[in-house]
Amino acid sequence: MSVETVRAFFAKNAPDITVIESGKSSATVALAAEAFGVTPAEIAKTLSLRVGDRVLLVVTRGTARLDNKKARAVFGGKPRMLSAEEALEATGHPVGGICPFGLKTPLPVYCDISLKAFSEVVPAAGSINSAVRISPARMAELTSAEWIDVSEIREQSEVA
């Protein structure tokens, strides 16, 4: 089970962080914000992308959207979202539970600077009803992420 690989990741690398589970689905930014009692912006969503033959993860705030022009400049090619099947195969996590922790295979992880606005964010933890509370800096440290600027912030009312 995907959430178990995330639990194992934290048991080994950050035993002070606990996976929290909700009785409700947290498969979308809006549902996750409601399930875990935070604003949509505080949800750290993980985008699984392909740029050329590279697969990578970008973690950004819930109210941000990938800016294709910035992403092309940073990654040297046009990013394409992975399909649900491709994302599951690459990460070991289902859509709605994709996170940079407990990955099936090592992938490059990038954290968007939009996350730095918060002292704590809530990324998924491998399933559609699990998450963790973590500082953006600690998340980047634990996943060896590089900080980048590839998103465009949307107004809360624009987030679906």
Side-chain angles (χ1 to χ4, degrees):
M1 282 192 39
S2 184
V3 71
E4 294 308 321
T5 65
V6 175
R7 279 195 181 97
F9 173 88
F10 284 112
K12 179 181 178 186
N13 300 295
D16 57 306
I17 296 176
T18 304
V19 172
I20 50 179
E21 294 188 76
S22 170
K24 300 177 184 178
S25 172
S26 56
T28 67
V29 169
L31 290 173
E34 184 180 319
F36 297 109
V38 296
T39 67
E42 293 169 289
I43 297 300
K45 68 180 175 184
T46 303
L47 306 174
S48 47
L49 306 171
R50 178 179 307 283
V51 179
D53 60 356
R54 297 178 299 149
V55 172
L56 53 96
L57 301 178
V58 174
V59 186
T60 188
R61 70 194 283 171
T63 53
R65 151 183 134 158
L66 192 67
D67 181 311
N68 285 321
K69 186 176 179 183
K70 287 182 183 178
R72 244 189 324 273
V74 168
F75 299 126
K78 183 179 180 179
R80 182 182 68 77
M81 293 290 287
L82 297 182
S83 69
E85 296 79 22
E86 290 171 320
L88 178 62
E89 178 61 31
T91 66
H93 305 317
V95 169
I98 295 174
C99 62
F101 317 112
L103 298 170
K104 180 178 176 180
T105 55
L107 294 171
V109 177
Y110 298 88
C111 286
D112 186 76
I113 61 170
S114 64
L115 294 168
K116 290 185 174 187
F118 307 102
S119 59
E120 183 178 80
V121 292
V122 181
S127 72
I128 62 164
N129 67 332
S130 63
V132 295
R133 295 179 185 275
I134 190 169
S135 75
R138 183 117 187 255
M139 178 170 54
E141 176 190 331
L142 287 170
T143 61
S144 301
E146 181 181 330
W147 286 101
I148 58 173
D149 178 8
V150 292
S151 67
E152 153 190 339
I153 307 302
R154 295 185 291 170
E155 293 303 314
Q156 196 115 342
S157 60
E158 296 178 59
V159 179

